[in-house]
Amino acid sequence: MKDTYILGIESSCDETSCSIIKNGTEEIATIISSQIDIHKDYGGVVPEIASRNHVKNITFVIEECLNEAKMTFDDIDAIAITYGPGLIGSLLVGVEAAKTLSFIFDKPLIPVHHIAGHIYANSLVSELKFPLLALVVSGGHTELIKMDKHYSFEKLGGTLDDAVGECYDKVARVLDLEYPGGPKVDKLAHIGKCTYNLPVPLKDDSYNFSFSGLKSAVINLVHNEEQRGNEIRKEDLACSFQTVAVSEIVNKTRKAIEKNNIKNLIVAGGVAANKGLREEIEKLCNEMNVELSFPPMKYCTDNAAMIAAAGYFAMKDGRKADLSLNSKSTDTLK
Ligand code: KG4
Ligand code: ZN
């Protein structure tokens, strides 16, 4: 059978990325231009600055990717693009680039939901086995998604307010840690002790999450201690926060596995890089005899390899866009 090469483009937040993936599973080349250093000074991503930098970078990133792969557009079968959700100005840059290339080189245009991309990052390392549960934990999402077959998504639950990654970043900010704070909180948590008492989020029967109460509790605690002139033990607070956040995610995941006869759990999104979460999810899967897949660290945060991989399976599912494709800042995965 002829091999299929998908060129993927991702620009939904602060990474400009292009990748070429063979048959949805094999990485040929990936280029990621990260803007972390630019946004660090502001403590978070500034949307207007992000889109301006995507404009600056995108043609170089695509060119470099083709050069690294030693390919031209003649070798490419289709172009996969993140159309949403994300920052609208950032998304627009990628979508317009993909539409232009699709028109010039007469290649099919495959629209990819950003979360489908995070899920399919796993197909670059292992075969997805159904029925599958995807735990999506990123800066913008905390969701439990069930899949009975390729490119079929059923949302079981999600966050009612803040995403877990966003909560990590806010906690990091109040602890004076640099953006992106998730990895720094994770590192501190491993040398601290769980000495602060923090509220357990959403105690209910659903698969939903709520992290804003936990976030506010940490922020209030820090402000109160500062006003009293008490020193904050950052590593202990990081450990206390991480323990509550991780156990909330693990508990809801356990319930979803039990009730849905799940055989394969995949974890996706930037927070999948979290060491504390990895350890607890591994324990859970051993205990429940469920096969577990984590993307390697390089595919956890935003990248175009996951978009090109998802694009392959989206194309097989018959999904195709025309030049009227528009970016969407919010959109349900379906
Ligand atoms: O998936 P991603 O790159 O972007 C979105 O689609 O949102 O995820 C970025 C998020 C940030 O909030 C970052 O702080 C968090 O992932 N993150 C982590 C870790 N590494 C990245 N959070 C906790 N622990 C980590 N080790
Ligand atoms: Zn992402």
Side-chain angles (χ1 to χ4, degrees):
M1 213 173 71
K2 187 190 164 292
D3 291 323
T4 304
Y5 293 90
I6 308 282
L7 181 138
I9 298 174
E10 156 66 36
S11 71
S12 67
C13 190
D14 59 341
E15 265 92 24
T16 324
S17 181
C18 180
S19 176
I20 296 167
I21 299 291
K22 179 175 154 184
N23 301 331
T25 55
E26 195 183 318
E27 184 181 29
I28 305 298
T30 301
I31 302 294
I32 304 174
S33 167
S34 171
Q35 300 178 21
I36 283 183
D37 284 341
I38 298 168
H39 297 282
K40 212 155 64 179
D41 294 344
Y42 304 94
V45 177
V46 183
E48 181 62 25
I49 297 178
S51 38
R52 280 167 194 262
N53 278 284
H54 284 306
V55 172
K56 254 198 223 162
N57 293 337
I58 194 137
T59 44
F60 296 113
V61 166
I62 296 169
E63 217 172 359
E64 211 179 316
C65 182
L66 285 161
N67 286 343
E68 194 175 301
K70 297 189 176 50
M71 287 177 145
T72 69
F73 272 100
D74 289 344
D75 306 306
I76 300 298
D77 294 287
I79 297 169
I81 175 67
T82 310
Y83 69 91
L87 301 172
I88 195 72
S90 294
L91 287 163
L92 270 169
V93 179
V95 167
E96 291 310 311
K99 286 201 297 195
T100 308
L101 293 169
S102 151
F103 177 68
I104 295 173
F105 295 104
D106 195 20
K107 303 287 173 188
L109 183 65
I110 315 295
V112 174
H113 190 285
H114 185 74
I115 295 304
H118 275 302
I119 292 172
Y120 274 94
N122 284 279
S123 76
L124 295 166
V125 281
S126 58
E127 195 187 327
L128 307 191
K129 297 191 185 92
F130 306 104
L132 168 155
L133 181 69
L135 167 64
V136 182
V137 276
S138 76
H141 297 266
T142 312
E143 284 173 19
L144 282 166
I145 291 160
K146 188 182 166 207
M147 292 173 73
D148 286 322
K149 57 183 170 76
H150 271 299
Y151 238 77
S152 145
F153 310 99
E154 183 196 343
K155 183 171 162 182
L156 299 180
T159 183
L160 302 175
D161 40 59
D162 293 355
V164 64
E166 186 184 346
C167 192
Y168 262 93
D169 293 334
K170 300 265 167 62
V171 166
R173 206 154 154 181
V174 82
L175 293 178
D176 278 333
L177 305 171
E178 230 175 33
Y179 174 83
K184 281 140 203 140
V185 173
D186 188 16
K187 222 166 156 188
L188 275 184
H190 275 79
I191 52 169
K193 290 195 189 75
C194 251
T195 54
Y196 290 97
N197 204 356
L198 295 170
V200 174
L202 210 62
K203 283 187 204 150
D204 73 355
D205 242 8
S206 73
Y207 298 113
N208 291 328
F209 301 92
S210 167
F211 288 106
S212 74
L214 176 62
K215 173 193 76 182
S216 303
V218 174
I219 294 172
N220 291 341
L221 191 149
V222 172
H223 290 160
N224 288 340
E225 291 296 83
E226 275 170 3
Q227 271 166 12
R228 290 190 192 114
N230 295 338
E231 202 189 316
I232 296 286
R233 296 180 312 279
K234 288 186 184 180
E235 63 282 10
D236 291 348
L237 188 52
C239 179
S240 310
F241 161 73
Q242 179 148 305
T243 304
V244 175
V246 165
S247 68
E248 175 67 0
I249 295 171
V250 171
N251 288 341
K252 295 272 159 91
T253 307
R254 173 184 288 114
K255 201 165 71 184
I257 291 174
E258 270 168 8
K259 298 245 168 90
N260 292 279
N261 193 27
I262 297 296
K263 298 280 171 280
N264 187 193
L265 175 70
I266 65 173
V267 188
V271 186
N274 186 275
K275 242 176 94 194
L277 181 66
R278 284 184 173 238
E279 286 164 9
E280 291 305 314
I281 288 283
E282 267 160 25
K283 268 192 234 159
L284 175 74
C285 287
N286 280 340
E287 193 187 295
M288 300 186 82
N289 209 11
V290 165
E291 203 171 310
L292 172 65
S293 165
F294 271 104
M297 292 293 189
K298 65 173 177 170
Y299 299 135
C300 281
T301 44
D302 292 348
N303 65 84
M306 66 185 199
I307 302 302
Y312 172 81
F313 292 97
M315 189 164 78
K316 280 182 70 170
D317 192 54
R319 303 192 185 211
K320 216 180 137 190
D322 59 26
L323 296 180
S324 67
L325 177 70
N326 216 338
S327 316
K328 286 189 175 166
S329 57
T330 57
D331 193 38
T332 310
L333 175 59
K334 46 190 178 315

